[in-house]
Amino acid sequence: LTQKITQIVNQRRSEDALLESEDRYRKVVEQSHDAIFIFQDSKITFANERVMDITGYTREELYSMDIWNLLHPDDRGYLIGMLEKRGKGHIVPNTYEVRILTKDGKTRYLEAAIAPLASNGRESILGSVRDITERKSAEEALRKSEEKYRSIFNTFDDLYYQTDMDGIITTLSPSCSRITGWDPEELVGTQVLNLYPFPEQRRMLL
């Protein structure tokens, strides 16, 4: 009888420890800044609160929809193909940069990490997603700014150049060829004094 009681007590302790562990990890997942979800056969079976924040859908809407309908049409085929290859044993990346369409039709950029997960004797996919829309917007703004700068730079009539702290030329406008007769690539990496052949010109720089 004493042994039986001990077994019951130990079992109860194990169950309490399991519940405590599950509760602890559930709180970590729910409070994560990343969107965490599980899907199986294209259906989401779990999603933390951050998934709703990013997509704009309620948990009930997410659980009833096909997960692939969240993806931007231009990214859908690629990711499905990668998962199919994974299912056939091929080595594929674990992280992806994808776009989704939110409930209100906006495009958001996500950095997603996925991994297989056993669930009820079948394989599910565990996903962890970070919203990188602001970063992508900043990168696009920088790209457009650089294109605008490059367009203006290439049409300069006057000679424009940049040097480092040692006076080494790092950049020359295309007008260099017309003004000096030198190809810009020939002068990049050389002393800026090479642009000024006359002593009186060089003295002005020193």
Side-chain angles (χ1 to χ4, degrees):
L1 180 60
T2 302
Q3 185 178 2
K4 182 66 173 179
I5 293 175
T6 301
Q7 290 176 345
I8 294 174
V9 171
N10 289 337
Q11 182 178 350
R12 182 58 184 271
R13 286 176 177 172
S14 296
E15 292 173 353
D16 289 344
L18 177 60
L19 290 173
E20 183 180 344
S21 176
E22 289 178 347
D23 182 61
R24 181 167 59 250
Y25 284 110
R26 186 180 297 109
K27 289 178 180 178
V28 170
V29 169
E30 285 298 342
Q31 294 174 9
S32 172
H33 181 69
D34 292 344
I36 298 174
F37 61 93
I38 298 172
F39 72 94
Q40 187 179 72
D41 299 331
S42 79
K43 291 294 185 181
I44 297 176
T45 59
F46 170 81
N48 71 349
E49 197 67 33
R50 184 63 176 146
V51 178
M52 276 74 83
D53 293 340
I54 291 176
T55 65
Y57 288 99
T58 65
R59 183 174 273 109
E60 290 72 22
E61 289 172 328
L62 287 169
Y63 286 4
S64 65
M65 67 191 301
D66 188 314
I67 190 174
W68 303 119
N69 290 335
L70 283 171
L71 289 179
H72 191 286
D74 292 343
D75 296 344
R76 197 175 296 158
Y78 170 72
L79 195 56
I80 291 176
M82 288 295 99
L83 289 180
E84 288 178 347
K85 287 182 178 180
R86 177 191 291 276
K88 294 177 181 178
H90 295 285
I91 298 175
V92 297
N94 291 322
T95 58
Y96 302 88
E97 191 173 292
V98 297
R99 291 166 293 175
I100 65 164
L101 297 176
T102 63
K103 186 177 181 178
D104 58 4
K106 294 180 180 178
T107 299
R108 301 199 71 81
Y109 289 83
L110 306 178
E111 190 175 70
I114 61 175
L117 177 71
S119 178
N120 297 323
R122 300 170 58 196
E123 184 175 272
S124 297
I125 298 295
L126 171 66
S128 176
V129 170
R130 181 161 297 180
D131 189 344
I132 58 171
T133 304
E134 291 186 6
R135 189 186 82 192
K136 296 296 290 187
S137 296
E139 290 174 353
E140 178 64 13
L142 177 61
R143 184 188 64 81
K144 289 182 178 180
S145 176
E146 288 178 343
E147 285 182 355
K148 181 179 180 180
Y149 163 77
R150 180 60 57 184
S151 177
I152 295 173
F153 179 77
N154 287 338
T155 58
F156 277 155
D157 288 328
D158 296 330
L159 178 63
Y160 175 88
Y161 62 84
Q162 289 181 328
T163 70
D164 62 16
M165 296 298 292
D166 296 320
I168 302 299
I169 298 172
T170 58
T171 305
L172 273 167
S173 60
S175 56
C176 173
S177 298
R178 175 176 53 81
I179 294 173
T180 69
W182 290 89
D183 188 287
E185 293 183 0
E186 295 179 282
L187 293 176
V188 169
T190 66
Q191 273 287 340
V192 68
L193 294 178
N194 292 334
L195 291 173
Y196 301 91
F198 302 108
E200 58 271 19
Q201 292 176 318
R202 295 191 175 195
R203 282 195 293 270
M204 293 176 61
L205 296 177
L206 300 175

